[in-house]
Amino acid sequence: MALLRKTRLGLDIIYVQAKRWENTVGRPEIQKFAGALQGQRARKGIFITTSDFSKDAKEYASRIDSKIVLIDGEQLTEFMIDHNIGVNPISNYEIKRIDSDYFTEG
């Protein structure tokens, strides 16, 4: 579990746990993380996985007092692409439109 300190904007301390999983992350893992948050007197956490979360895990995270954000593999990939982290562009496309001023009679 990693700790993110208070930001310049005055946001709270947030704990992060990232796991590389092949199988779905279930409720027991989220319960362990929630327990670790309580042990640190933390109210916010982010649980990141390369796979997915079970329905029970998502429901549990949404019902408890601690705020736990669940980021699955698909969301992680979107964040990586959006923020250019760990990715390289392989091609760019140029889209053109007709310049109607070029064709006007003068």
Side-chain angles (χ1 to χ4, degrees):
M1 187 163 58
L3 168 66
L4 299 178
R5 294 267 177 216
K6 203 171 206 177
T7 67
R8 292 182 196 172
L9 299 174
L11 298 175
D12 292 337
I13 293 173
I14 300 172
Y15 285 85
V16 177
Q17 183 163 338
K19 293 211 175 207
R20 185 176 184 175
W21 283 63
E22 291 182 17
N23 297 322
T24 300
V25 177
R27 178 180 171 154
E29 290 298 320
I30 303 306
Q31 285 177 303
K32 288 178 198 173
F33 183 57
L37 290 177
Q38 286 181 335
Q40 296 294 323
R41 295 185 181 163
R43 295 181 298 150
K44 296 179 182 177
I46 303 171
F47 196 111
I48 303 170
T49 183
T50 55
S51 65
D52 197 8
F53 296 98
S54 70
K55 182 179 176 183
D56 284 345
K58 292 175 186 177
E59 288 175 358
Y60 178 78
S62 70
R63 287 194 319 260
I64 60 175
D65 290 335
S66 297
K67 172 68 174 161
I68 298 178
V69 175
L70 304 178
I71 299 176
D72 63 18
E74 186 174 326
Q75 291 171 308
L76 178 60
T77 303
E78 289 175 16
F79 288 146
M80 291 171 65
I81 291 168
D82 290 347
H83 298 284
N84 290 316
I85 298 171
V87 297
N88 292 311
I90 56 173
S91 65
N92 293 312
Y93 296 93
E94 188 174 339
I95 300 173
K96 298 185 179 197
R97 65 177 172 82
I98 295 176
D99 181 2
S100 58
D101 291 339
Y102 180 83
F103 295 103
T104 57
E105 292 183 35

